[in-house]
Amino acid sequence: MLRYLKIYAILMRNSLIREMSFKANFLLWTLVEVLWFSGQVLFIEVLFGHVDKLGDWTKWQVVALVGTHQVVAQLFQAFFYVNLTQIPELVRTGKLDVFLTLPLDSQFAVSSKQFGLDNFVNTVLGLAITGYALLRLGVTPGALQVLLYCCCVLFGVAVHYSVMCSLSTFCFWIIRAQGLVYGYFNLFNIGRYPESVYRGAFKFMFTWVLPVILVANVPVRILTEVAYTPWAAIGQLVGTSLLVLGFTRWFWLRGLGRYASASS
Amino acid sequence: MIALYQKVFGIGLQDTFVYRWNFVLRSLFSIIPLIATVFIWRAVCEQGSGLSEYNFSSMVFYFIGVLMVDNLASPTEDEWRIASEIREGQISSLLTKPLNHLAYRLSLFGAYRCLYTLVTLPVMGAVVWGLSRHIQLPQQILTWPLFFLSVAGSALIQFFIAYSLAMLAFWIMEVSTLIFILYSFEYFLSGHVFPLDLLPASVRSVLEWTPFPYELFFPVQILLERLDVASIQKGFMMQFFWVCVTGASARLLWNLGVRRYQASGG
């Protein structure tokens, strides 16, 4: 375990050096995120220009939701996103061989090659928006809430990781799997809205099987519903995220079993 | 001359045919946000006092229209491919051929959109069938040709913008950030996320001078028969204006870029 941590530290350092040599690009990526965020806020403004509540959520609760969604998504993207999107290409070209010969777990090796510094900046932005929303709501969460919030955010990152890793792992069966990468964005798109607007099979699917709706909803409920802690929802998030994480591991090993490299 | 680009179109069809599963997956995944959108507007309409412009059904139909226009007219990978051709130097082989690069790329774009629309037709069919009770087909027969004309205009504007952005690869290494910056404007200001007539009138009047509403919102409004004759005329005039401006910028940037272009190695 310690060995993996040391390796991870070295990989991070390398990424940092690489990122800093493209400063303009770094700033532009941050701008992209700020624009996206402004667009989201515009949408919320439009929605709440017409209603007082969405489901049972008020405007600033929804803003906190968008902010927290940003935190989870950006943390995931900082550590894993780029690496996971490269898997289909590694498999297609046979470059995955290099990762398999390393004295490391293969899934760890492909998931951790580089990380995105700009995503950390955007994580902070998400936290700031969430904080501002709480201020407007007039809620002050206690230490327990903050702690639970952080834990749930990490479980959320695990859900993001599982979904993206599983989508990429499909490339062992379908060689041109780029279309699946869009699936990631489409899936998590729905997590920015209050759970209570969803109903029926759709809600069941995305809260119990593939818990993408819980990822931001549960942490925000912890922060904004200070009167009581939503233990059931937390349990649901933890349980389902462990399940999808386990599935991803199993699926990765299955996929790897099919890998035949590419002749060179 | 036309025959040449017909040939390119044919090659484009064959070339993109290998991506057919990709297309199916993409269109399947694009249904998920659509369903979420339907849920959100249902929640809004149920709360419902303020939303006078739309009822739930017309809102659902609006987003089906968005999906249709998006399938027919939005470039998906063209800008990335053109930019990477320039960056990797593959464009050299095209320069030696007696082709107009813009027309060549436009033919490929046409082929790509046709094939995409065709391959994803079953998925679209399922969406239309599943939400059919919200669909109110146009009352007037003239709406259809006007709709398709506006979709063609939208496709041209979007393609020319994508092409112009890709041309920047002649000057800078990494154009993907610029593509995403523009994409975020297009996403929110063309009517992808909410109908633009929900915005305050002051914001809308500014927006009407930008190309964005004519990429998506305008064609969908025609399909929904929400515009009077004067607005349709004005819309087409603005759309035509933006086709000319973006087309001219595409040509200009190509001419300037090629002059700068240097290929090294062999």
Side-chain angles (χ1 to χ4, degrees), chain B residues 15-16 19 77-86 90 105 108 112:
Chain B
D15 187 40
T16 45
Y19 293 102
E77 307 207 327
D78 301 75
E79 61 267 56
W80 303 99
R81 290 204 198 174
I82 301 170
S84 94
E85 270 179 12
I86 294 171
Q90 289 147 341
R105 270 291 158 189
L108 287 181
Y112 206 93

Short mmCIF file of all heavy atoms in Angstrom, two decimals, chain B residues 15-16 19 77-86 90 105 108 112:
data_model
loop_
_atom_site.label_atom_id
_atom_site.label_comp_id
_atom_site.label_asym_id
_atom_site.label_seq_id
_atom_site.Cartn_x
_atom_site.Cartn_y
_atom_site.Cartn_z
N ASP B 15 -16.66 5.90 -45.08
CA ASP B 15 -15.69 6.13 -44.03
C ASP B 15 -16.34 6.15 -42.65
O ASP B 15 -15.81 5.62 -41.68
CB ASP B 15 -14.99 7.47 -44.32
CG ASP B 15 -13.85 7.71 -43.37
OD1 ASP B 15 -13.14 6.73 -43.08
OD2 ASP B 15 -13.69 8.85 -42.90
N THR B 16 -17.52 6.77 -42.58
CA THR B 16 -18.15 6.90 -41.27
C THR B 16 -18.99 5.68 -40.91
O THR B 16 -19.43 5.55 -39.78
CB THR B 16 -19.04 8.16 -41.19
OG1 THR B 16 -19.81 8.22 -42.38
CG2 THR B 16 -18.22 9.40 -41.05
N TYR B 19 -18.36 3.73 -37.89
CA TYR B 19 -18.71 4.30 -36.59
C TYR B 19 -20.16 4.05 -36.22
O TYR B 19 -20.68 4.67 -35.31
CB TYR B 19 -18.45 5.81 -36.57
CG TYR B 19 -17.00 6.18 -36.66
CD1 TYR B 19 -16.45 6.61 -37.85
CD2 TYR B 19 -16.18 6.06 -35.55
CE1 TYR B 19 -15.10 6.94 -37.94
CE2 TYR B 19 -14.84 6.39 -35.63
CZ TYR B 19 -14.31 6.83 -36.82
OH TYR B 19 -12.99 7.16 -36.89
N GLU B 77 -17.74 15.58 -34.83
CA GLU B 77 -16.30 15.43 -34.67
C GLU B 77 -15.54 16.20 -35.71
O GLU B 77 -14.31 16.15 -35.73
CB GLU B 77 -15.93 13.95 -34.75
CG GLU B 77 -16.76 13.16 -33.77
CD GLU B 77 -16.13 11.90 -33.30
OE1 GLU B 77 -15.39 11.28 -34.08
OE2 GLU B 77 -16.38 11.55 -32.14
N ASP B 78 -16.24 16.91 -36.58
CA ASP B 78 -15.57 17.54 -37.72
C ASP B 78 -14.42 18.45 -37.29
O ASP B 78 -13.32 18.35 -37.81
CB ASP B 78 -16.58 18.32 -38.56
CG ASP B 78 -17.69 17.41 -39.07
OD1 ASP B 78 -18.56 17.04 -38.26
OD2 ASP B 78 -17.66 17.05 -40.26
N GLU B 79 -14.71 19.33 -36.28
CA GLU B 79 -13.67 20.28 -35.91
C GLU B 79 -12.43 19.58 -35.37
O GLU B 79 -11.31 19.98 -35.66
CB GLU B 79 -14.20 21.32 -34.92
CG GLU B 79 -14.71 20.80 -33.60
CD GLU B 79 -16.22 20.55 -33.62
OE1 GLU B 79 -16.66 19.79 -34.50
OE2 GLU B 79 -16.93 21.10 -32.76
N TRP B 80 -12.65 18.49 -34.62
CA TRP B 80 -11.50 17.77 -34.05
C TRP B 80 -10.68 17.14 -35.16
O TRP B 80 -9.45 17.16 -35.14
CB TRP B 80 -11.97 16.67 -33.10
CG TRP B 80 -12.83 17.19 -32.00
CD1 TRP B 80 -14.19 17.16 -31.94
CD2 TRP B 80 -12.40 17.87 -30.82
NE1 TRP B 80 -14.63 17.75 -30.79
CE2 TRP B 80 -13.56 18.19 -30.08
CE3 TRP B 80 -11.14 18.22 -30.32
CZ2 TRP B 80 -13.50 18.86 -28.87
CZ3 TRP B 80 -11.09 18.88 -29.11
CH2 TRP B 80 -12.26 19.20 -28.39
N ARG B 81 -11.39 16.56 -36.12
CA ARG B 81 -10.66 15.87 -37.19
C ARG B 81 -9.87 16.85 -38.05
O ARG B 81 -8.73 16.60 -38.39
CB ARG B 81 -11.64 15.13 -38.08
CG ARG B 81 -12.26 13.94 -37.39
CD ARG B 81 -12.72 13.00 -38.45
NE ARG B 81 -13.69 12.06 -37.92
CZ ARG B 81 -14.34 11.19 -38.67
NH1 ARG B 81 -14.13 11.19 -39.98
NH2 ARG B 81 -15.19 10.36 -38.14
N ILE B 82 -10.52 17.99 -38.40
CA ILE B 82 -9.83 18.96 -39.25
C ILE B 82 -8.61 19.49 -38.51
O ILE B 82 -7.51 19.56 -39.07
CB ILE B 82 -10.77 20.13 -39.63
CG1 ILE B 82 -11.99 19.60 -40.38
CG2 ILE B 82 -10.04 21.14 -40.48
CD1 ILE B 82 -13.09 20.62 -40.58
N ALA B 83 -8.78 19.82 -37.25
CA ALA B 83 -7.66 20.36 -36.47
C ALA B 83 -6.53 19.34 -36.38
O ALA B 83 -5.36 19.70 -36.51
CB ALA B 83 -8.13 20.76 -35.08
N SER B 84 -6.88 18.08 -36.17
CA SER B 84 -5.80 17.10 -36.02
C SER B 84 -5.11 16.85 -37.36
O SER B 84 -3.91 16.61 -37.40
CB SER B 84 -6.31 15.81 -35.38
OG SER B 84 -6.66 14.87 -36.35
N GLU B 85 -5.85 16.96 -38.46
CA GLU B 85 -5.21 16.84 -39.78
C GLU B 85 -4.16 17.92 -39.99
O GLU B 85 -3.10 17.68 -40.55
CB GLU B 85 -6.25 16.96 -40.89
CG GLU B 85 -6.86 15.64 -41.30
CD GLU B 85 -7.89 15.82 -42.40
OE1 GLU B 85 -7.97 16.91 -43.00
OE2 GLU B 85 -8.61 14.85 -42.66
N ILE B 86 -4.50 19.13 -39.51
CA ILE B 86 -3.55 20.23 -39.67
C ILE B 86 -2.34 20.02 -38.75
O ILE B 86 -1.20 20.14 -39.17
CB ILE B 86 -4.23 21.57 -39.33
CG1 ILE B 86 -5.32 21.86 -40.36
CG2 ILE B 86 -3.21 22.71 -39.30
CD1 ILE B 86 -6.20 23.04 -40.01
N GLN B 90 -1.25 15.81 -41.99
CA GLN B 90 -1.89 15.02 -43.05
C GLN B 90 -2.50 15.90 -44.12
O GLN B 90 -2.82 15.45 -45.22
CB GLN B 90 -2.99 14.12 -42.47
CG GLN B 90 -2.48 12.98 -41.65
CD GLN B 90 -3.45 12.67 -40.52
OE1 GLN B 90 -4.29 13.50 -40.15
NE2 GLN B 90 -3.32 11.49 -39.95
N ARG B 105 -14.55 19.39 -47.12
CA ARG B 105 -14.96 19.14 -45.74
C ARG B 105 -16.49 19.23 -45.57
O ARG B 105 -17.08 18.49 -44.79
CB ARG B 105 -14.27 20.14 -44.81
CG ARG B 105 -12.94 19.63 -44.31
CD ARG B 105 -13.22 18.49 -43.37
NE ARG B 105 -12.07 17.62 -43.22
CZ ARG B 105 -12.14 16.45 -42.57
NH1 ARG B 105 -13.26 16.04 -42.04
NH2 ARG B 105 -11.08 15.70 -42.47
N LEU B 108 -17.98 16.02 -46.67
CA LEU B 108 -17.82 14.99 -45.63
C LEU B 108 -18.79 15.22 -44.47
O LEU B 108 -19.39 14.27 -43.95
CB LEU B 108 -16.39 14.99 -45.11
CG LEU B 108 -15.31 14.44 -46.04
CD1 LEU B 108 -13.95 14.49 -45.35
CD2 LEU B 108 -15.61 13.01 -46.46
N TYR B 112 -21.62 12.70 -43.12
CA TYR B 112 -21.62 12.33 -41.71
C TYR B 112 -23.00 12.53 -41.08
O TYR B 112 -23.53 11.66 -40.41
CB TYR B 112 -20.59 13.22 -41.01
CG TYR B 112 -19.98 12.65 -39.77
CD1 TYR B 112 -18.79 11.94 -39.83
CD2 TYR B 112 -20.58 12.85 -38.53
CE1 TYR B 112 -18.22 11.42 -38.68
CE2 TYR B 112 -20.00 12.34 -37.38
CZ TYR B 112 -18.83 11.63 -37.46
OH TYR B 112 -18.27 11.12 -36.34
#
